[in-house]
Amino acid sequence: MRFQQKHNFNAKSGNFFLFLILIITLTSTTSIFSQKKYVVVIDAGHGGKDPGNLGNGFVEKHIALKVALAVGEKITNSTDVKVIYTRTKDTYPPLWKRGEIANTSKADLFVSIHCDSHTNNAYGAGTFVLGLRGNKKNLEIAKRENASILLEENYQERYKGFDENSVESVIGLSLLQEENLDKSLEIASLIQNNFVSIKRNDRKVKQDNFQVLRETIMPSVLVELGFLTNKIEGRYLNSTKGQTQMATAIAEAILKYINNLKINTIVATTDTVTPLNITETVIDYKIQIASSKKKLATKSYNFRGLKGVHRQLVKPYYKYYFGQTNDYEKVKGFLKLVKSRGYKSAFIVAFKNGEKISVNDAIKMQ
Ligand SMILES: [Zn+2]
């Protein structure tokens, strides 16, 4: 009996240690997987001295804040997302400050939330990314949202060169912002898809020159939830039901976007050069137009209108090439074209069976 008891005790303590080991293993495994936190900055438009638009007596700054906080709350539950708000109360952080918050926190995504207004009965939800292709009507919305700047002290100094009516201001996009365009378009269309699925009138993804988007250096979108000037839509956006539905639509789009980011990170590492299995010698010439650690979509809008750009991962860089020919005279023509598009430092590269060799060697072999 005594022996039995002792034996039981040992067995129990053995189980206890197994249990301890299991707990330690689980905890350490979890910490390995939760290392990367995706930082999402949520910006409630306007605030404080800047009420935004006041269509039908509804107040844009209040609705924007409620929806922004609800979006944040929904995505905070995801273990690998960290939410930062530009404001959580009825205050007015200047537009540059909102950008700075996102930039210094090295955010992966910036989402600014607003409500629209119009003199007619327009209604529907739209999402904007920074870009050149805004039409005149979009420019009007951008002007209205940018008007906040005029309420800020020293705005002439903070936004040097800002002229809402000047073409130069509109097209002065930095390369970094161009690089983010593709990702911004992706999150924007995910948001719009979700708006459509809750039966909002689809005002589509559009590009325009919102100052708050110009201040950030990561993929960024500005959501116009709908029109307060439209009585029915204003009432919807001012209701708890409307705010919850819109916030859920945005939050689910953000989580999907982050999931895509995770998948793409894994895909990127396998996007390496595969050696070609060719017995005869094939010489190819291409133009290298850029080399960057950033993975850019090879769409023409990312490359000053050049079509047929292709990307190759030569760790740790992505190389961006234009054209492919075995004719040296032809590739010189490509180089001229690329330089005329502003890629002054572009150059010819040569490949033998897919492996890079010097251009001189390539010419000799031919
Ligand atoms: Zn606004």
Side-chain angles (χ1 to χ4, degrees):
M1 190 66 193
R2 277 184 75 90
F3 177 74
Q4 275 290 329
Q5 263 180 348
K6 194 168 188 305
H7 184 78
N8 279 345
F9 175 74
N10 277 341
K12 263 186 196 160
S13 62
N15 281 343
F16 177 69
F17 279 117
L18 268 179
F19 179 67
L20 251 186
I21 289 164
L22 183 72
I23 291 292
I24 291 165
T25 315
L26 277 178
T27 334
S28 56
T29 317
T30 314
S31 66
I32 289 167
F33 286 115
S34 58
Q35 270 173 353
K36 166 75 183 166
K37 280 260 183 192
Y38 291 88
V39 178
V40 179
V41 172
I42 302 176
D43 172 47
H46 313 276
K49 62 189 173 186
D50 172 20
N53 92 68
L54 298 166
N56 282 312
F58 302 120
V59 185
E60 180 183 359
K61 66 173 182 179
H62 293 328
I63 295 171
L65 180 61
K66 280 185 182 157
V67 172
L69 293 175
V71 170
E73 199 177 314
K74 283 173 202 295
I75 60 174
T76 302
N77 294 334
S78 172
T79 47
D80 42 15
V81 177
K82 184 184 172 193
V83 173
I84 295 172
Y85 301 99
T86 55
R87 69 181 181 97
T88 53
K89 296 193 184 86
D90 187 15
T91 53
Y92 179 82
L95 299 184
W96 64 265
K97 183 74 196 167
R98 298 173 199 237
E100 193 182 78
I101 290 168
N103 296 342
T104 53
S105 63
K106 296 193 167 52
D108 296 283
L109 180 64
F110 177 84
V111 179
S112 187
I113 294 172
H114 291 254
C115 304
D116 219 335
S117 69
H118 206 281
T119 46
N120 67 24
N121 238 351
Y123 67 101
T127 303
F128 289 81
V129 302
L130 187 66
L132 319 175
R133 282 175 269 164
N135 60 30
K136 200 159 187 291
K137 207 160 76 190
N138 294 343
L139 186 65
E140 289 305 311
I141 300 173
K143 276 191 204 174
R144 249 194 328 275
E145 301 294 12
N146 289 343
S148 304
I149 291 171
L150 308 177
L151 298 173
E152 293 173 18
E153 284 164 38
N154 305 323
Y155 74 90
Q156 297 97 328
E157 295 217 339
R158 279 287 176 192
Y159 307 99
K160 262 201 187 100
F162 173 78
D163 175 1
E164 58 181 6
N165 294 311
S166 111
V167 181
E168 285 71 27
S169 279
V170 176
I171 61 173
L173 291 178
S174 74
L175 182 66
L176 205 53
Q177 288 161 327
E178 278 186 53
E179 286 186 16
N180 288 327
L181 182 57
D182 203 47
K183 293 265 115 200
S184 304
L185 287 169
E186 183 188 334
I187 174 67
S189 62
L190 287 171
I191 291 173
Q192 280 307 117
N193 286 348
N194 284 357
F195 286 161
V196 170
S197 69
I198 56 166
K199 307 272 185 299
R200 306 313 301 165
N201 179 34
D202 184 10
R203 292 183 67 89
K204 308 267 159 68
V205 175
K206 292 167 189 164
Q207 288 190 285
D208 214 332
N209 186 35
F210 289 102
Q211 184 66 33
V212 73
L213 298 183
R214 293 175 65 104
E215 299 288 330
T216 60
I217 55 171
M218 73 288 310
S220 304
V221 291
L222 186 144
V223 179
E224 293 283 3
L225 299 169
F227 289 77
L228 301 184
T229 41
N230 178 292
K231 232 180 203 152
I232 297 166
E233 194 157 68
R235 212 178 289 143
Y236 171 79
L237 293 175
N238 202 44
S239 73
T240 311
K241 181 195 168 199
Q243 288 162 8
T244 308
Q245 282 188 344
M246 295 306 276
T248 307
I250 297 168
E252 280 172 3
I254 292 173
L255 293 177
K256 203 166 184 183
Y257 172 82
I258 287 171
N259 216 35
N260 289 350
L261 273 187
K262 284 189 239 169
I263 295 165
N264 283 341
T265 315
I266 297 160
V267 170
T269 56
T270 59
D271 190 14
T272 41
V273 188
T274 37
L276 293 172
N277 197 8
I278 301 169
T279 41
E280 65 172 316
T281 304
V282 178
I283 301 291
D284 275 319
Y285 298 101
K286 298 174 187 178
I287 305 296
Q288 183 171 321
I289 52 178
S291 175
S292 161
K293 283 194 176 172
K294 285 222 167 189
K295 190 179 180 181
L296 264 173
T298 52
K299 308 267 169 59
S300 60
Y301 56 70
N302 276 335
F303 294 94
R304 301 179 189 174
L306 288 175
K307 281 182 188 154
V309 170
H310 58 282
R311 178 185 64 219
Q312 202 167 42
L313 179 63
V314 185
K315 278 180 181 173
Y317 294 100
Y318 289 103
K319 308 252 167 151
Y320 296 89
Y321 299 116
F322 176 76
Q324 179 169 10
T325 174
N326 58 5
D327 184 340
Y328 184 65
E329 289 307 310
K330 228 181 202 172
V331 83
K332 282 200 282 187
F334 291 165
L335 184 62
K336 239 185 207 169
L337 168 72
V338 161
K339 288 202 170 183
S340 75
R341 295 290 176 94
Y343 291 101
K344 301 288 179 211
S345 57
F347 53 91
I348 298 171
V349 286
F351 297 86
K352 178 189 159 198
N353 294 349
E355 240 176 87
K356 204 168 158 196
I357 57 168
S358 82
V359 175
N360 279 341
D361 285 350
I363 295 167
K364 273 183 219 156
M365 278 180 204
Q366 282 184 315

